[in-house]
Amino acid sequence: MGIGDRFQQETSYRRDDPGQGIEGMLSAPDPDGPHHLLPHPDLTNSSSLWEALRNRRSIRSFTGEPISQVELASILWAAQGVTSSQGRRAFRTAPSAGALYPVETYVAVQAVADLMPGIYYYQTLEHCLVQRSTGDAAQAATHAALDQRFIADAAITLFWTAVFARSEFRYKERAYRYVYLDAGHIAQNAALAATALGLGSCQIGALYDDECNALLGVDGQREGILYMTTIGHPAAQSRES
Ligand SMILES: Cc1cc2nc3c(=O)[nH]c(=O)nc-3n(C[C@H](O)[C@H](O)[C@H](O)COP(=O)(O)O)c2cc1C
């Protein structure tokens, strides 16, 4: 039996072993680095959810044009922005198993108006970016994703990581199922928001884990890469396909 089959078996809930772990929560990190407050998301866009569902396609050809900071802010908010609070709990656009929110968002800023290219961490609760590094983020994101060339012409690439312990506290090994499901919800929200804004997106699972973790400055154990989403202005031919 391969590791995938064993994982699926050993993380199954059964009536005699529902597998509930202890409760706990680890707060989101507050990393060092210059903080950049984002504009409010633009929630007045008239594109409907139904149109976005119908029009979303994986786009692999971008013009390299920059997106605006409002577009960036709207995509980040759509992915897993805060929509309501109950006491100390902040609920988000995307569901999360046990409302534990283990998935973190990093942005490779490749071409965003008036924002220095580089790697940024998105602080969800504060809706701000924290700069981790500056430099050629387009090349860095491309290399980290098995050199998939089209990524270099996108405007941003989102990196989704998980802080595994945040979910393991409660769900033990089964947490690994849930963090990937959480990431799927979040990435789809980002893709639909991009479509609604007239942008194109492509989900990226083919990535070098160690290179992504090094690029983001995470250790790959406590926090590690799950998934990426690249977004930009679609080139004319990609709109037609
Ligand atoms: C988990 C996952 C990983 C993916 N990884 C890649 C990838 O690394 N590179 C790529 O070009 N497309 C990737 N895709 C996009 C798929 O190829 C695409 O969704 C599929 O061909 C269906 O086309 P559509 O998204 O236009 O409907 C991925 C999609 C998913 C859901």
Side-chain angles (χ1 to χ4, degrees), residues 38-43 70-84 91-94 122 124 127 189-190 193:
L38 286 164
H40 290 296
D42 177 10
L43 307 184
V70 174
E71 286 171 325
L72 171 61
S74 304
I75 292 165
L76 290 171
W77 179 86
Q80 57 167 342
V82 174
T83 47
S84 74
F91 293 94
R92 303 186 184 184
T93 53
Y122 175 56
T124 310
H127 187 58
N189 279 1

Side-chain angles (χ1 to χ4, degrees), residues 56-60 145 148 150 202-207 227:
R56 185 212 59 82
R57 200 79 289 141
S58 291
I59 299 297
R60 298 184 184 83
Q148 297 183 68
F150 65 91
C202 188
Q203 308 295 3
I204 305 288
L207 52 86
Y227 201 20

Side-chain angles (χ1 to χ4, degrees), residues 27-36 104-106 119-126 128-133 161 163 166 216-218 222-223:
S27 56
D30 185 10
D32 293 336
H35 285 48
H36 177 87
E104 297 289 346
T105 307
Y106 295 78
I119 304 296
Y120 294 76
Y121 167 70
Y122 175 56
Q123 267 186 327
T124 310
L125 301 184
E126 289 79 12
C128 77
L129 293 175
V130 183
Q131 195 181 76
R132 306 295 299 259
S133 62
T161 67
V163 179
R166 221 179 273 159
L216 306 179
V218 301
R222 182 189 163 275
E223 180 176 357

Side-chain angles (χ1 to χ4, degrees), residues 169-186:
F169 264 120
R170 187 176 300 172
Y171 298 116
K172 304 288 185 66
E173 298 300 311
R174 195 177 171 87
Y176 286 82
R177 293 184 181 214
Y178 293 160
V179 295
Y180 281 99
L181 294 172
D182 274 27
H185 295 300
I186 291 164

